[in-house]
Amino acid sequence: MCRWLAYYGDTIPIEALVLLPQHSLIDQSLHSREGATTTNGDGFGIGWYDELGGLPGLYKSIRPAWNDRNLRELAAHISAPLFFAHIRTSTGTAVQETNTHPFRHGRWLFMHNGLVREFPCVRRDLLLAIDSELIPELEGSTDSEVLFLLALTFGLEDAPLTALALMAGFVEEVGERHGVEHPLQMAVATTDGEQIIAVRYSSEGQSRSLYFSTGALALKAQHPNIEEVQGLSDEAHAIVSEPLGDLVEAWKCVPESSIGIVKPGPDEFYEFTPRRPQRRR
Amino acid sequence: MCRWLAYYGDTIPIEALVLLPQHSLIDQSLHSREGATTTNGDGFGIGWYDELGGLPGLYKSIRPAWNDRNLRELAAHISAPLFFAHIRTSTGTAVQETNTHPFRHGRWLFMHNGLVREFPCVRRDLLLAIDSELIPELEGSTDSEVLFLLALTFGLEDAPLTALALMAGFVEEVGERHGVEHPLQMAVATTDGEQIIAVRYSSEGQSRSLYFSTGALALKAQHPNIEEVQGLSDEAHAIVSEPLGDLVEAWKCVPESSIGIVKPGPDEFYEFTPRRPQRRR
Amino acid sequence: MCRWLAYYGDTIPIEALVLLPQHSLIDQSLHSREGATTTNGDGFGIGWYDELGGLPGLYKSIRPAWNDRNLRELAAHISAPLFFAHIRTSTGTAVQETNTHPFRHGRWLFMHNGLVREFPCVRRDLLLAIDSELIPELEGSTDSEVLFLLALTFGLEDAPLTALALMAGFVEEVGERHGVEHPLQMAVATTDGEQIIAVRYSSEGQSRSLYFSTGALALKAQHPNIEEVQGLSDEAHAIVSEPLGDLVEAWKCVPESSIGIVKPGPDEFYEFTPRRPQRRR
Amino acid sequence: MCRWLAYYGDTIPIEALVLLPQHSLIDQSLHSREGATTTNGDGFGIGWYDELGGLPGLYKSIRPAWNDRNLRELAAHISAPLFFAHIRTSTGTAVQETNTHPFRHGRWLFMHNGLVREFPCVRRDLLLAIDSELIPELEGSTDSEVLFLLALTFGLEDAPLTALALMAGFVEEVGERHGVEHPLQMAVATTDGEQIIAVRYSSEGQSRSLYFSTGALALKAQHPNIEEVQGLSDEAHAIVSEPLGDLVEAWKCVPESSIGIVKPGPDEFYEFTPRRPQRRR
C-alpha cells in the first residue's frame, strides 16, 4: 500500500511535514502503525512548486526514503507553497524511478494509492485509449501512470472534475468488459500548482482512506515542536492517505466516493460519480 | 549507440571476453575507438545459460559497466557455454534496468543495437500488436523491448527466422503508415540457449555493423594472454556489434540484410528479407 | 540489528536457504518476527565459494534485499558448498556497498552482527592498530570492517582462534581506556572456504543470538517443499543469527562466550575468552 | 581527473552554469576536450547556500551526471548566490556517495582535483593527525576527504589560509617521510558561504589547472543564450578546473602555487607556500 501527502498553504520547507513529525510520511514508511502491510520501501517521490502556479520540480528515488540522504537535504532546503510526497509499495511491478509518483505533465502532478485490478489483463485496452500525443510520456509500467495519462486524455487540464470522472468510468467499463469484479480502487491527488483535487473512490465502495487536516490549528496541535508548522496561517491544508501524528481526531476522514478541492477560500467537497465515456477514443 | 557481444562454445568465465581483453566490451564503453559517439554509460546487462538449453540468468545494472564491482565479481565467477552482454547508450528514454538488454522471455534472450525511427509516433500501433499474453511482460519504455515482444508475438519460439522477418516487416509497415522514411535499424541477437540467431538489417540498407569471429583461432590470436581463451575448442564463436581487440581482420563483417545462425556445426547465413504480416492482429 | 546466515555442506543454490524458505533471511528482513526492531533495508551482501577452498565471489547491494532482482537471479543461478549472506541495518553510518558485509580479504570472508560501542570515540585508536599492509583495504566507515582488519592484523589467516580472541581483547582494552562500559557486542562468522568459525560474545555477557542447525535433518524438516534442501547430506550445516523457519527447536542456540568451528567431521565448540595483546602495534 | 566549478555572485539557478552552457561541467564530463583522460562518470555532487552565510545543502549521486534526472530537476529549481559542483573520476577508490565532493563540515564545503601520491602508503599517518572530534565525520576512503579533515584540524574555520598551508605542508612532510617524490597535487576550493578560497598547488610545481572568470562580462560573452547569465552583475565570479565554453581567453589561468580569495570587492591572490606544522599532533 502506498502512502501520500499533499500540502497547500504558506511556503514551508518540505521537511516540516514529510520528515520531522512523529508519524511523518517517512516514519510511517518504516513502521506501519496498523502493522498489516509491508514496509513502504519501494521508492519515493516529491514534487513541488517554487511558487503557486509555476512549473513543478521532481525528486524521485528508488532507495527507501528513510536512508536517502539526498531526500533529507532537499526536504530541508526546498520550501514550497504546494507540494506532493509519495512513498511506494510495489505490488510486483519493477522498482524504478519511472514507476514512482508523483507523475508530471506540464504543470500537473498526479499521485495515487490503490490499484487497477487485474491490470495485466486490462492494460492493453487502457493503453489503447491514451491520446497519441501522450504516448511518448509513458515511461513506466504501473497502473497509476496509466490512470494519469487517461485523465489527461479525458481533459484533465481543462475540466479536471469531469476528466477524473471519465477516467474512472472508463477504467470500470474496460474492467467489466474483461469480467473484473471491482476494477478500480483509488485515493488520488492531482494539482496544477493552483489547486489540489483529491478523490476517494473504489468500485466496491470500500476505498483506501483519505484525510484532510481540519485547518492549520490541527497541524499546529499535532506538531508543537516544529517551528514552521507553528507559523502556519489558516490557509494551510494537508491531504493525506493516512493521518500524520497522534491526533487522529484532527483529521477529517473524507467520505466514500468523494472529490475535494483545496484552493484559496473554503474547501469544496462533492460526490464523485464515474462517468462512462460516450465513445471510446 | 549500444554495443553487444554474444558467445557460444566451450564453457568459459564471462570475464574472458567481456572484461579482460583490450578493447573488450567494457573497454569500448569507456573509449569509443571511432570517437564519434558518446560514452556507453547508460546501463549494462548480461544473460547466461548455466548449461546449454537451460534457463538463463540475468544481471542488469544502470551503473556504468566500468565501475560496477558486482559485474567484475560475477563475470569472474560465472562460467557459461552461451552468454550475451550488452552496453546501452540511451537515446533519450529513461536509464532504468527494465530498459537494459538482454530482455528475457522463458528460455529466450534478445538484445538490439539500433532503433525504431520516430518511435514515439509509432509506439502505440506497435504496442497494440503485442499478444495479450505478453503485455504483462512489458516493463520498460524502449523500442528494443517492443521489438522483442513483437518477435515473440509473431512466433519466435516456434519459427524464429520467420518471426524475425515478420517483426521487421510489421515495423516497416507501421512506419510507412506514419510516413517514416527508414523505419527500422537493427543489429539483433536472440537465443534459446541452444543456438544464437543474429540479424543485420536496416530499412535504408546501411545497417549497424555486425561481426562474427572467424573461429576460435581468431579469438586465440587476439587474446594471447587470456588463458581461458587459449583453451577454446573450434566450436567457440563470438558475434559482436564491433570487433574486440586489435585484429580487426580476425572478424568477419556480416553483410547487409543477413541473418546468421550459430549452433553446433558450421554457421549458417541467409539473406534477411522482412515479411509483411498478412493480417495485423 | 543485522541478520546473517552461513552455510557449509553440499553444493546448493544460494536461494535454497536465503530466499525460498518461509522466514528466510529475506523474509526476516521485511517482517521482523519479534517486531522490536526496524526493517533491515540498508544493504545486503552474499559471498560464496565456487568450490571449497577457492576464492570467494561477492555480490553487494544497497537496495533492500526484498526488491533486488539481481539478487533473485544470482541466488537462483549460483550454487556453492559454502556461502555467507548478510542483511544490514545501519546504525547511522552511511548506506553504501563498502559498508555491507561480508568483507573479504584474499580467501577470507567476515560478517558481523553487533557493534563496537562508542565507535566514533574509539575509532581512531582502532584504526591505528591496523597493519599498514591492510590500510589500503579500508574502504568503508563501519565498526565491523575495522573488526575484520584487526582480526587479520592479529593473524586471522594463520591462527584464527587466537586472532579473534586478540581482536576482542584489544577492542575491550581500547574501550576501557576510553571509559566505555561494555565495549564489544558481536555475533561474527568468518571463513577461508574450508571451515566456518563463528563467535558469540559480548563484554556484558548478553550477546546477540547465534544458532546452529542441528544437522541436515533439521533443515529438511523445516523446508519440506524445497527440493534442494531435501537432498542434503548430513554434512550440511547452517549457522544463523536468528532461526530460519518455524521449527525453532531444530536450531541449537550457541551459549554465551562461545566459538564454534564447522568443517568436515563433527562441529567443535569452545569457550571464547578475549585476550589482551601483549604489545599494541 | 576530476573537474569542478565554484560560483559566487547574484543568485542564479545552478543549471545556468552547470548544465546549460556548451562545454558545461556536465558536457565536459561526457567529452573531455583534450581527449586525454577517461570519462568523468564516477559520481557527482553539488553544494549550495540558500543565502550567503547560511548552511549549505548537498546533493550527491554516483550516477553519471549526464543521465541523472534528479540533477536536472534540482539544478533548474535551486537558485543560489554561491554554489560548488564537482564531477569525479575515481582513481581506484570505491564509487560511493561518501567519496564524492563537495565534502561538508558545518557551514564549510570543500572540493578537490588532484591526489595525494601513494595514498595507501601514507594514509595511516594522515588519518592519525585528524582531530579526534572530526574522526566521526570520516565516511569515505578518498585522499580528498582526508585533506579536508586535515585542513579543519589545522584551523580552517578560524584561519583558512594558514590552515590550508599547514595541511599542504603536513602532507608533504608525511610523504617525504615515506619517500614519496611529489606528495601533493591539488586544485582545491573551499568556502564558508561568504567567501571562496581556491588553491592551485603541487609539490612538483606542475599543478592541475585552475581558472577564474574575468568578471561577469566574460561569463556573458560566453553564454549569450542563457538568460540568467546575461542578467549577472559585476559581482558574479566563477572559478573552474577547466574553462567553460569556447572563449578560453575569457578565463584567467591562476599561476602555480597561488591562493585566491573571492568575496565582495576585488579578488585577492597570494603566493601559496606550504608550512610544516611545528609539532605533529
Side-chain angles (χ1 to χ4, degrees), chain A residues 62 92-99 119-121 123-124 127-132 135-141 281, chain B residues 62 92-99 120-121 123-124 127-132 135-141 281:
Chain A
I62 54 171
T93 44
V95 175
Q96 57 190 18
E97 286 159 19
T98 55
N99 282 352
F119 182 59
C121 168
R123 188 177 176 195
R124 191 165 62 164
L127 289 178
L128 257 173
I130 295 172
D131 190 287
S132 298
I135 283 286
E137 302 191 14
L138 181 71
E139 292 198 306
S141 53
R281 294 148 193 247
Chain B
I62 53 171
T93 43
V95 176
Q96 57 191 17
E97 286 159 18
T98 55
N99 283 351
C121 168
R123 187 178 178 194
R124 190 165 63 164
L127 290 178
L128 258 173
I130 295 171
D131 190 286
S132 298
I135 284 285
E137 302 191 14
L138 182 71
E139 292 198 306
S141 53
R281 291 146 195 251

Side-chain angles (χ1 to χ4, degrees), chain A residues 213-223 229-230 232-234 236 247 250:
Chain A
S213 66
T214 53
L217 277 177
L219 287 172
K220 291 179 195 177
Q222 285 164 87
H223 308 310
V229 171
Q230 290 307 310
L232 290 178
S233 76
D234 278 351
L247 300 183

Side-chain angles (χ1 to χ4, degrees), chain A residues 80-156:
Chain A
L82 197 166
F83 54 84
F84 276 19
H86 186 279
I87 294 187
R88 183 170 177 245
T89 299
S90 168
T91 51
T93 44
V95 175
Q96 57 190 18
E97 286 159 19
T98 55
N99 282 352
T100 60
H101 312 218
F103 301 100
R104 179 176 63 188
H105 172 80
R107 287 172 50 179
W108 286 78
L109 295 176
F110 179 94
M111 59 188 174
H112 170 230
N113 176 27
L115 75 162
V116 173
R117 288 209 176 76
E118 301 193 28
F119 182 59
C121 168
V122 299
R123 188 177 176 195
R124 191 165 62 164
D125 284 1
L126 298 181
L127 289 178
L128 257 173
I130 295 172
D131 190 287
S132 298
E133 305 272 305
L134 296 167
I135 283 286
E137 302 191 14
L138 181 71
E139 292 198 306
S141 53
T142 60
D143 49 1
S144 306
E145 184 188 24
V146 171
L147 293 185
F148 181 39
L149 294 174
L150 285 173
L152 287 164
T153 296
F154 290 120
L156 183 71

Side-chain angles (χ1 to χ4, degrees), chain C residues 200 210 253-258 269:
Chain C
R200 183 182 183 211
L210 188 64
C253 178
V254 176
E256 279 290 341
S257 305
S258 299
F269 287 92

Side-chain angles (χ1 to χ4, degrees), chain C residues 193-229:
Chain C
E194 296 181 11
Q195 57 180 354
I196 297 173
I197 301 165
V199 183
R200 183 182 183 211
Y201 178 75
S202 62
S203 306
E204 66 268 42
Q206 293 185 305
S207 305
R208 293 282 194 271
S209 62
L210 188 64
Y211 294 85
F212 275 60
S213 65
T214 54
L217 276 177
L219 288 172
K220 291 178 196 176
Q222 285 165 87
H223 308 309
N225 303 318
I226 303 175
E227 191 184 341
E228 291 88 349
V229 171

